[in-house]
Amino acid sequence: EAQVTQNPRYLITVTGKKLTVTCSQNMNHEYMSWYRQDPGLGLRQIYYSMNVEVTDKGDVPEGYKVSRKEKRNFPLILESPSPNQTSLYFCASGMQGAYGYTFGSGTRLTVV
Amino acid sequence: QQPVQSPQAVILREGEDAVINCSSSKALYSVHWYRQKHGEAPVFLMILLKGGEQKGHDKISASFNEKKQQSSLYLTASQLSYSGTYFCGTVFSGGYQKVTFGTGTKLQVIP
């Protein structure tokens, strides 16, 4: 089944403890992206990647890191999480060109 | 800049029609539309490219007016399954990758 898989689905962590949210897609998509969703603010792009080893900042990149060493994987790294990074995170992937995105099921992160 | 969606929320009875608007302050290359049901991921509905085209998807269609930098989503004869939050996503240049989403329109269809 074609899908974008995020793990974990839920995560509660403490301020300053490094964490990684994984994202993997099995559709051979070139493009992958991370969004965060907060009430009233919609989906805001954190980082995106157009292919292996090619990444760029989105609209809210501060406090996050990404890497794209393999085409299928695009992990999101929070080196020192803070409470303002408590949010619902979505990974998305898509083909190059005028196509829509496929979203993962989301990761609800709480930083205390 | 995030596109502006209107209305922010709307309640419909089954069978009624609705229009959701998406406006940008910058020139648009393309517009995406997605629907997100409560507790789920957004699901792609359609994409519209420069050229003022209109697309359809069952009883859901959309138009794109590049001169006005606007897109509208039309839901006709609404069904209970149409309930959810609708997002438009705008692309400001020829790069298909950077999609900026609006804040969403919450649509509730009641019997």
Side-chain angles (χ1 to χ4, degrees):
Chain A
E1 181 190 349
Q3 59 186 359
V4 177
T5 303
Q6 289 180 232
N7 280 298
R9 289 292 307 274
Y10 302 91
L11 179 59
I12 301 174
T13 190
V14 296
T15 299
K17 186 176 181 182
K18 181 179 178 178
L19 66 92
T20 299
V21 183
T22 63
C23 174
S24 181
Q25 50 94 4
N26 62 0
M27 296 166 281
N28 202 36
H29 285 167
E30 295 89 358
Y31 174 74
M32 297 185 76
S33 182
W34 278 102
Y35 288 88
R36 61 178 289 176
Q37 185 173 28
D38 302 288
L41 297 178
L43 292 152
R44 293 181 293 166
Q45 191 174 49
I46 302 170
Y47 270 95
Y48 63 100
S49 170
M50 290 181 282
N51 217 322
V52 176
E53 302 291 0
V54 182
T55 63
D56 206 350
K57 296 178 180 177
D59 298 311
V60 288
E62 294 78 22
Y64 304 95
K65 282 177 61 175
V66 293
S67 68
R68 186 95 181 268
K69 293 185 169 57
E70 303 168 283
K71 196 171 187 179
R72 62 183 292 124
N73 296 323
F74 191 45
L76 180 69
I77 302 157
L78 285 74
E79 298 249 333
S80 183
S82 62
N84 64 11
Q85 292 178 298
T86 292
S87 187
L88 177 59
Y89 291 85
F90 286 103
C91 180
S93 74
M95 290 191 290
Q96 291 280 13
Y99 301 97
Y101 298 164
T102 300
F103 280 81
S105 300
T107 296
R108 187 165 291 281
L109 172 67
T110 302
V111 184
V112 297
Chain B
Q1 295 90 327
Q2 280 185 292
V4 176
Q5 287 185 234
S6 63
Q8 289 185 327
V10 59
I11 299 176
L12 299 175
R13 291 200 178 276
E14 270 188 295
E16 291 183 337
D17 301 339
V19 180
I20 299 172
N21 299 303
C22 176
S23 296
S24 172
S25 58
K26 292 173 65 173
L28 297 176
Y29 186 85
S30 65
V31 179
H32 293 221
W33 284 99
Y34 292 77
R35 175 172 61 207
Q36 183 181 31
K37 293 187 178 285
H38 183 70
E40 298 181 8
V43 173
F44 174 70
L45 295 176
M46 65 189 78
I47 184 171
L48 298 102
L49 303 178
K50 272 177 82 167
E53 66 178 281
Q54 185 153 352
K55 283 189 132 179
H57 185 275
D58 287 336
K59 292 178 182 174
I60 300 175
S61 62
S63 63
F64 177 24
N65 187 324
E66 63 192 84
K67 281 187 180 176
K68 291 187 177 179
Q69 297 166 187
Q70 291 177 344
S71 178
S72 295
L73 186 71
Y74 307 95
L75 300 100
T76 58
S78 58
Q79 306 165 17
L80 295 175
S81 62
Y82 286 4
S83 294
T85 301
Y86 289 78
F87 291 98
C88 70
T90 51
V91 178
F92 299 125
S93 69
Y96 299 108
Q97 288 72 29
K98 194 174 187 327
V99 177
T100 303
F101 286 95
T103 54
T105 294
K106 189 171 183 179
L107 178 79
Q108 184 181 2
V109 182
I110 58 176

